[in-house]
Amino acid sequence: MHKLFPIIFIFLAIVPKTLKAQDNARSILAKFTVVNAITNDRDTTKELMEAGAYTAFYSLKNTDTIYLANVWPNQNSESIGPISNVEIKKNIIASETKYNGIIFSFDWHFKDSYEDDQGVAKVNAIMIKDKPEGIAFAMKLLGPDNEFLEYHGVVDGAIKDRIFDLLLKLNLKIDNLVKNIYRLNLSLV
């Protein structure tokens, strides 16, 4: 019996941490492998391909917040953070010549793992759903230090419908806020 105490102690120490980690697990909504990249007018495709770079949108369990991750796994590097101020520029409806998609902009509140740098970047993006092959994602990002990044990517897996629902929901919150501010300004005049 005394031989079981160390095992029971280890079990009791590990299980709560494992359960907590599962509660905060990331749910990938869309993941794109970078196949073309430009950084400040310089083609950085080869560098990002060697780094295994991908961009992913995800949420945490039981939240509606969308996070963006720019990950370079072969260099143990990532930039992550929530997005805000989502504005849907165009919702593309499928037809014989088009796939479902969305053109949108947002602010990305990022933190880097490699320089411990953080800030807010302005992002414009296009995401195409259910495209069988080829580029399905494009992103243009302007960082706080005026660094310009442009990525094109192919879908890794499938794009979950939930990301479109959450983007539309976040866009509606901004639309309602703008309408309320406009109404308030009219009532003050």
Side-chain angles (χ1 to χ4, degrees):
M1 179 70 175
H2 293 285
K3 292 179 183 179
L4 290 177
F5 284 128
I7 294 170
I8 293 171
F9 179 76
I10 291 170
F11 179 78
L12 292 174
I14 292 174
V15 168
K17 291 179 183 176
T18 303
L19 293 175
K20 185 176 179 183
Q22 289 173 350
D23 286 346
N24 294 327
R26 293 180 185 179
S27 173
I28 301 295
L29 302 170
K31 182 179 174 185
F32 305 94
T33 300
V34 177
V35 295
N36 188 315
I38 297 170
T39 304
N40 293 330
D41 296 327
R42 186 175 65 86
D43 186 344
T44 53
T45 302
K46 183 178 177 187
E47 180 182 344
L48 270 75
M49 298 283 281
E50 289 172 355
Y54 67 86
T55 297
F57 291 90
Y58 67 93
S59 64
L60 299 179
K61 186 175 180 180
N62 300 323
T63 72
D64 286 344
T65 302
I66 298 174
Y67 295 83
L68 176 66
N70 184 22
V71 183
W72 296 23
N74 298 345
Q75 295 187 359
N76 294 320
S77 172
E78 70 178 2
S79 300
I80 58 172
I83 69 171
S84 67
N85 298 326
V86 174
E87 183 180 344
I88 305 295
K89 304 288 186 180
K90 186 173 185 179
N91 196 359
I92 305 163
I93 306 301
S95 69
E96 288 183 24
T97 59
K98 296 181 200 172
Y99 296 100
N100 282 325
I102 193 166
I103 300 171
F104 60 108
S105 64
F106 58 90
D107 293 340
W108 179 35
H109 305 265
F110 68 91
K111 182 172 173 122
D112 294 337
S113 65
Y114 51 94
E115 293 174 337
D116 205 27
D117 193 18
Q118 59 186 16
V120 179
K122 301 287 185 188
V123 182
N124 288 313
I126 300 171
M127 189 182 312
I128 306 298
K129 187 171 182 346
D130 299 328
K131 188 174 179 187
E133 60 184 38
I135 304 295
F137 177 72
M139 175 175 79
K140 293 182 178 183
L141 181 148
L142 182 62
D145 57 356
N146 289 325
E147 180 178 45
F148 175 77
L149 304 174
E150 183 173 346
Y151 291 167
H152 297 157
V154 295
V155 176
D156 183 354
I159 299 174
K160 293 185 180 174
D161 289 333
R162 184 163 186 257
I163 189 165
F164 293 100
D165 296 339
L166 289 175
L167 287 169
L168 290 169
K169 184 176 179 180
L170 291 171
N171 182 66
L172 289 175
K173 285 182 182 178
I174 294 296
D175 282 351
N176 289 334
L177 179 63
V178 169
K179 287 176 187 173
N180 287 336
I181 290 171
Y182 180 72
R183 286 186 198 125
L184 179 62
N185 284 339
L186 288 178
S187 66
L188 295 175
V189 177

